Amino acid sequence: MTTTAAAPERSRPTISRTKQVLRLTRTEFTLFVRYKTAWMFLFLPLFLAFVTLQLPNDEVIPGFGAAELAMIASMGTIGLILGVGHPSNVFTARRESLVLKRFRVSGVPQSVIFGAVIGVVVLFSLVIAALVVGLVFATSGGTLPRDPLMLVVAVILSGVMYSLMGLLVTPFVRNAEAAQMAAMVPMMILLFTGGGVIPLEFLPETARQVMTFVPSVPAGEMAQAAYTGYDAFGGFGSAEEKGYLGLWVSALPSLGVLLAWIAVLTLLVRRYFRWDPRQP
Amino acid sequence: MTTTANTAAADQGRQDTTGPAVVVRDLRQHYGDFEAVKGVSFEIRPGELFALLGTNGAGKTTTIETMEGFRRPSSGSVRVFGLDPHGQPSGVRERTNAVLQGSGLLDDLSVDETIGLAHDLAANPRDTAELLDLVGLSDKGGVAVRQLSGGQKRRLDLALALVTRPEVLYLDEPTTGMDPEARHETWQIISGLKKHGVAILLTTHYLEEAERLADRLAIMHRGEVRVEGTLASVLAGWGDRVSFLLPEDVRTGDLPELPEAEIAVETRDQALWATYTAMGGDVADRAHRTVAALIAWAAERGITLQHLQVRGASLEDVFLRVADGAADLLTD
Ligand SMILES: Nc1ncnc2c1ncn2[C@@H]1O[C@H](COP(=O)(O)OP(=O)(O)OP(=O)(O)O)[C@@H](O)[C@H]1O
Ligand SMILES: [Mg+2]
């Protein structure tokens, strides 16, 4: 300190982004728990999972009926509801109340601010997914996921993707109420196209191929494949049971679609996100 | 103990005195057709406080937002540590902080949680207990931010801006809503930061604040800097006022003409008051010169100058003249 004349910016200590993301995720968690409205986003996917119990449960593949498969696919909607619903709402409110600006001027990188809200969405998505697994376990007479890792990957990736989508809602709305309304649009469309409501196997081949690029499809299919061990991609009509590696190979297109959406949405969020209420 | 730390910080500040920390050159900022900032230039050196004053809507916050990196200049340039702050590159981000005109606090967190978060996110944070003590919030740690009073929120804003040990600090009306005591304490804090080599940009509508703290200042009106310089140089241009109650037997025309002083007569409480504004370049002596001449004149006529007052121009005089005169300036 006394002897060197090093440039001050080099002598300043640094802090790792991972540490920052984890720390801010902790606060996001606290805020989520205190903000009771957000709990709705936890109950909704559980409710949707329960609704599938009403479906006729004819066996589709050995050990799994249609209702159970629908319940498993509903794990793809956890991230949708939480990710599109929560970040769009709170980030709009925080932009308008200058909280985001306050973070930025105090030197918190954009990636950390986004990373933390994505972190809390992923965290709660995993918790809800675990509860749904419990439900499937109970109704299917004790079957556990064949490939838990793939299930976790599906839930995490869809949580990330939908959170980015939720963040992308914020530049188009002026306040948190409008954000809640606006978030309903992609949420409803994607819920409807997610396979939970339209059974994909009844669609014509071309429509089904288009549908595989819709962001809500791959996560649900990955969840089904991960749970059953069957190649569920593109319907169960001709689905076969696969080995561990075989299943991952068949999951590659879905993984690719999820990652591609994440990449595109990241670019869009970087480009269009507004930090300042006055920014035109 | 604290003194050694302070000296170290001061040394570090001094390493930077080679050049200005902030340079703004001919900055212009448009919102659609509306030009909010029309060619503003200034520099701030480490340890220096530059006060950006001006009428409502003059473009002060817009200028600061550009320096903070939220807006790209429509034209002109901004450099902080030689870097373009737009998009907040890490070389700028980590060395600056700000008190925003609006607070930006999370209502659901407590004071301790708020400052704790800022502390944990910073690379080289200051001690939070010490900071809360500094801004007088030690006994409010457990209170939710939504329950703080307006002035208490402002104090917390200041503490948050200091957690990261910034080398450049933007203060946008930091004392608005503070009681007089808090304001004085804030002035002390700001003076301390200057001593430690922090480069500070301050906007305020409390002109006394600028008078006390500013090394240099500018007064903006409708996007333009109308007056700029050190406090002394700005005030020098506006003259010293010598005024007294006009004795009943003296008529306006009897008042002496003095070199480099303007006479004005006005009615106050149904009496006539004379005011001489001494404008000479001999800033230190001109008030004395004017008073001496008036006393000599009064002695000669055998009268007393009642309620004799001598007053230097205040920043408020200058400010009001800028805000007023703007209409004339705009029409030509
Ligand atoms: N997004 C925007 N669109 C249009 N006009 C804007 C926008 N943001 C700011 N302005 C205008 O720019 C001008 C400058 O605003 P700014 O906030 O910089 O003023 P200020 O000097 O900080 O005023 P105050 O002392 O009241 O805080 C104002 O006339 C304001 O209405
Ligand atoms: Mg302002």
Side-chain angles (χ1 to χ4, degrees):
Chain A
M1 170 109 245
T2 44
T3 49
T4 61
E9 64 262 38
R10 245 167 249 145
S11 65
R12 281 185 80 97
T14 54
I15 178 168
S16 89
R17 295 213 178 175
T18 320
K19 210 172 143 193
Q20 286 180 312
V21 171
L22 291 175
R23 178 59 184 84
L24 194 52
T25 304
R26 206 177 99 200
T27 296
E28 287 281 6
F29 180 86
T30 308
L31 291 168
F32 190 104
V33 172
R34 288 183 192 168
Y35 179 51
K36 308 277 185 304
T37 314
W39 295 12
M40 178 183 82
F41 302 125
L42 299 181
F43 293 128
L44 210 54
L46 278 177
F47 170 76
L48 288 180
F50 268 104
V51 164
T52 60
L53 289 173
Q54 306 296 317
L55 296 176
N57 198 19
D58 310 324
E59 188 165 86
V60 178
I61 51 171
F64 293 93
E68 278 139 19
L69 289 175
M71 190 184 285
I72 294 167
S74 81
M75 280 191 260
T77 65
I78 299 170
L80 170 59
I81 291 164
L82 262 167
V84 176
H86 184 62
S88 62
N89 182 7
V90 295
F91 268 57
T92 306
R94 289 184 200 164
R95 180 191 65 216
E96 295 302 310
S97 62
L98 299 180
V99 169
L100 295 181
K101 212 169 156 187
R102 161 85 248 141
F103 276 126
R104 290 290 306 276
V105 295
S106 58
V108 184
Q110 303 186 29
S111 54
V112 170
I113 300 172
F114 294 142
V117 77
I118 293 173
V120 83
V121 165
V122 165
L123 188 75
F124 278 112
S125 296
L126 288 170
V127 171
I128 301 297
L131 292 175
V132 176
V133 167
L135 199 61
V136 176
F137 180 80
T139 58
S140 67
T143 326
L144 279 173
R146 186 73 77 81
D147 190 339
L149 179 64
M150 187 183 287
L151 190 57
V152 167
V153 168
V155 172
I156 291 178
L157 288 184
S158 68
V160 173
M161 176 180 73
Y162 289 126
S163 300
L164 291 167
M165 213 179 273
L167 291 171
L168 201 53
V169 169
T170 64
F172 300 102
V173 290
R174 282 263 160 244
N175 56 51
E177 290 78 50
Q180 272 170 329
M181 295 295 289
M184 286 314 232
V185 177
M187 208 188 282
M188 287 304 150
I189 292 174
L190 292 171
L191 265 181
F192 190 70
T193 53
V197 184
I198 315 178
L200 289 187
E201 47 271 43
F202 300 139
L203 289 179
E205 180 58 29
T206 42
R208 208 154 72 195
Q209 271 173 357
V210 172
M211 290 295 280
T212 52
F213 293 102
V214 172
S216 54
V217 173
E221 289 189 339
M222 268 179 83
Q224 287 179 327
Y227 214 107
T228 60
Y230 277 74
D231 170 7
F233 305 96
F236 281 100
S238 54
E240 299 164 18
E241 192 165 6
K242 290 273 168 88
Y244 184 78
L245 268 182
L247 202 60
W248 276 98
V249 170
S250 3
L252 283 179
S254 293
L255 271 175
V257 170
L258 283 174
L259 291 174
W261 274 106
I262 288 172
V264 169
L265 288 166
T266 304
L267 291 177
L268 290 175
V269 169
R270 280 269 173 192
R271 170 74 184 74
Y272 291 106
F273 194 82
R274 292 197 293 125
W275 297 93
D276 182 345
R278 295 207 299 184
Q279 209 165 308
Chain B
M1 245 192 76
T2 40
T3 33
T4 49
N6 290 350
T7 335
D11 285 346
Q12 200 176 25
R14 242 170 251 133
Q15 290 176 358
D16 257 349
T17 49
T18 45
V22 175
V23 181
V24 176
R25 283 274 162 273
D26 203 29
L27 174 68
R28 286 171 183 274
Q29 205 59 275
H30 295 265
Y31 295 115
D33 288 342
F34 177 70
E35 194 168 30
V37 178
K38 304 169 184 169
V40 167
S41 302
F42 57 86
E43 293 181 355
I44 314 173
R45 290 171 184 281
E48 187 179 52
L49 187 142
F50 181 73
L52 195 57
L53 310 175
T55 48
N56 289 136
K60 304 178 296 293
T61 300
T62 302
T63 303
I64 296 185
E65 284 168 349
T66 311
M67 298 164 77
E68 287 164 346
F70 288 108
R71 305 174 189 285
R72 198 187 288 284
S74 300
S75 76
S77 75
V78 175
R79 289 289 175 274
V80 181
F81 304 114
L83 300 169
D84 179 355
H86 186 258
Q88 299 182 309
S90 65
V92 173
R93 189 173 68 216
E94 287 155 14
R95 303 171 72 184
T96 60
N97 210 327
V99 171
L100 303 174
Q101 186 169 1
S103 261
L105 299 168
L106 284 159
D107 282 341
D108 285 338
L109 296 183
S110 70
V111 169
D112 276 343
E113 285 169 335
T114 303
I115 192 123
L117 175 65
H119 173 275
D120 295 349
L121 291 174
N124 182 22
R126 283 178 67 166
D127 182 61
T128 56
E130 177 205 319
L131 273 175
L132 287 184
D133 189 44
L134 191 67
V135 300
L137 287 177
S138 297
D139 57 337
K140 292 286 171 193
V143 174
V145 166
R146 70 167 78 252
Q147 276 147 14
L148 292 180
S149 73
Q152 288 167 340
K153 281 190 185 169
R154 224 53 195 134
R155 293 164 182 235
L156 184 54
D157 289 334
L158 182 64
L160 291 177
L162 302 183
V163 179
T164 59
R165 301 179 198 269
E167 294 166 59
V168 169
L169 190 56
Y170 307 115
L171 303 173
D172 199 349
E173 303 190 23
T175 61
T176 298
M178 285 187 184
D179 65 37
E181 193 200 358
R183 181 167 300 141
H184 277 89
E185 284 166 13
T186 303
W187 293 347
Q188 269 169 14
I189 295 172
I190 294 174
S191 301
L193 294 169
K194 277 171 63 177
K195 288 202 194 87
H196 293 168
V198 181
I200 303 172
L201 179 86
L202 170 77
T203 79
T204 180
H205 292 300
Y206 299 105
L207 299 176
E208 189 193 351
E209 194 161 290
E211 283 174 342
R212 289 195 182 218
L213 296 169
D215 298 298
R216 283 180 308 110
L217 59 93
I219 303 181
M220 281 180 82
H221 185 67
R222 303 197 183 172
E224 286 170 355
V225 170
R226 295 288 165 85
V227 175
E228 198 190 350
T230 61
L231 181 65
S233 74
V234 165
L235 295 184
W238 298 81
D240 298 318
R241 320 278 161 101
V242 180
S243 55
F244 53 89
L245 187 68
L246 207 59
E248 269 171 20
D249 53 342
V250 176
R251 275 172 302 152
T252 313
D254 298 336
L255 288 168
E257 298 269 344
L258 298 182
E260 297 188 284
E262 289 167 11
I263 319 175
V265 178
E266 57 172 350
T267 318
R268 250 189 270 160
D269 299 332
Q270 288 156 3
L272 282 180
W273 290 76
T275 301
Y276 282 77
T277 306
M279 299 291 290
D282 51 340
V283 177
D285 300 340
R286 63 192 183 189
H288 175 92
R289 181 165 45 73
T290 308
V291 171
L294 286 170
I295 298 281
W297 169 77
E300 207 173 279
R301 298 198 50 148
I303 53 174
T304 312
L305 303 177
Q306 291 179 319
H307 297 290
L308 178 66
Q309 292 175 346
V310 182
R311 191 165 66 84
S314 69
L315 206 47
E316 192 160 317
D317 297 323
V318 182
F319 188 97
L320 292 175
R321 202 84 74 87
V322 166
D324 264 5
D328 335 339
L329 286 170
L330 279 181
T331 46
D332 51 18

